[in-house]
Structure formats: C-alpha cells, structure tokens
C-alpha cells in the first residue's frame, strides 16, 4: 500500500504532495524484477543484469529456501523520498536493496537535477519551502492503491 504526505508553507501558501511506498504493481516479485531491468541509472547495468539473471536471486520472504542465495532482494522496489542537502530539493524516487552472498549491497544512486550532487534518503520530516525557505506544515497523510 502506498502513502502520501501533504505539506503547505504557512508563509507563502506553496503546497506539495509526495506519493511514496508501493502499490499493487510491485507485490509480484517477477514483475518487480522486470521493472528493475527497465529503469536507468539505478546501479551499474552489468551488475543488475547479472543479479536478475542469477538462478539463486530470491526475495527474503520467498518460500523457496535457498541455503545460501547468490543474491537476496532485501527491500522491494518502492518509492522513497530523497533529498539534496545542498539545494534542499526533494525527489520521490525508486528504492530497492539487494545483498550478494559476499555482503555487497546494491542500491540505486541518484543525482540532484539542480547541482548534480548525490542524493540521500530523507531521514526526517522537516521540509523547507522551495519558494521562500520557510519550514512547511504537515497537512495530512494520503493512502493510495
């Protein structure tokens, strides 16, 4: 189930909604793998192709219990909120985490559209207004799909 957050600036009235999580489309593991293979700029394309073609690539909740899977899909594809700490811009983008049996972690990497710096997952619920710089008020939550 996806969720959203509505924010409004008390100073200038700017408002924004962020739709996060995942909907019914991503519940199927095979469909999620297909979607991953079509997304650009997530991880090295060769690494992703190798992971998705592996016979022992599983989701952590799969009933097929491989003793030592080559790759484990630890976090299903979903939309999470990223931020640029320099520009204070926010981006709802695809997130997933895959771990290899050697402990290597694969996650998407994104860059800010404004300054080109690497984005990071947003860890708090404080949002600055992109119009005037004031802290925006949380208005409410939305449930979708």
């Amino acid at each position: 189930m996806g969720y959203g957050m509505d924010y409004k600036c008390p100073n200038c009235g700017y408002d924004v909604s962020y739709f996060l999580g995942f909907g019914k489309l991503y519940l199927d593991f095979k469909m999620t793998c297909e979607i991953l293979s079509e997304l650009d700029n997530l991880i090295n394309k060769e690494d992703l192709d190798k992971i998705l073609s592996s016979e022992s690539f599983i989701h952590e909740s799969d009933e097929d219990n491989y003793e030592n899977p080559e790759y484990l899909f630890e976090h299903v594809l979903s939309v999470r909120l990223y931020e640029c700490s320099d520009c204070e811009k926010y981006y709802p983008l695809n997130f997933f985490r895959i771990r290899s049996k050697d402990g290597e972690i694969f996650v998407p990497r994104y860059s800010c559209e404004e300054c080109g710096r690497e984005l990071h997952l947003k860890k708090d619920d404080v949002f600055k207004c992109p119009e005037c710089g004031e802290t925006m008020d949380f208005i409410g939550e939305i449930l979708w799909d």
Side-chain angles (χ1 to χ4, degrees):
M1 170 75 73
Y3 67 97
M5 301 178 298
D6 284 331
Y7 286 88
K8 186 169 186 171
C9 179
N11 184 48
C12 71
Y14 176 86
D15 63 341
V16 64
S17 298
Y18 297 109
F19 294 93
L20 309 171
F22 62 91
K24 295 176 186 175
L25 180 63
Y26 299 140
L27 294 180
D28 178 82
F29 182 57
K30 288 188 178 195
M31 174 67 81
T32 301
C33 290
E34 289 172 16
I35 292 168
L36 278 178
S37 68
E38 294 173 6
L39 295 173
D40 291 329
N41 302 321
L42 292 179
I43 63 174
N44 179 297
K45 196 70 169 162
E46 289 176 9
D47 286 340
L48 186 59
D49 289 344
K50 181 180 171 189
I51 291 167
L52 294 176
S53 66
S54 170
E55 290 185 15
S56 61
F57 173 49
I58 64 167
H59 185 273
E60 64 183 346
S61 65
D62 280 354
E63 292 180 17
D64 297 332
N65 292 318
Y66 292 94
E67 197 165 306
N68 189 15
E70 190 173 353
Y71 297 99
L72 179 66
F73 203 164
E74 291 186 319
H75 190 284
V76 162
L77 180 67
S78 66
V79 177
R80 303 265 302 264
L81 200 58
Y82 287 78
E83 70 176 327
C84 177
S85 54
D86 291 337
C87 298
E88 295 184 338
K89 300 273 184 201
Y90 311 107
Y91 301 89
L93 299 167
N94 289 297
F95 176 81
F96 63 89
R97 185 174 55 237
I98 299 170
R99 180 174 45 87
S100 75
K101 68 179 176 186
D102 299 326
E104 189 175 7
I105 302 292
F106 297 92
V107 294
R109 303 213 186 285
Y110 297 103
S111 298
C112 178
E113 293 173 4
E114 296 287 321
C115 70
R117 292 208 164 95
E118 186 173 348
L119 299 176
H120 300 281
L121 287 170
K122 181 137 181 65
K123 301 210 185 295
D124 61 28
D125 59 356
V126 177
F127 291 84
K128 299 274 183 159
C129 177
E131 300 293 321
C132 70
E134 288 293 318
T135 300
M136 295 196 296
D137 292 334
F138 176 72
I139 302 301
E141 191 170 271
I142 305 162
L143 297 177
W144 62 272
D145 199 70

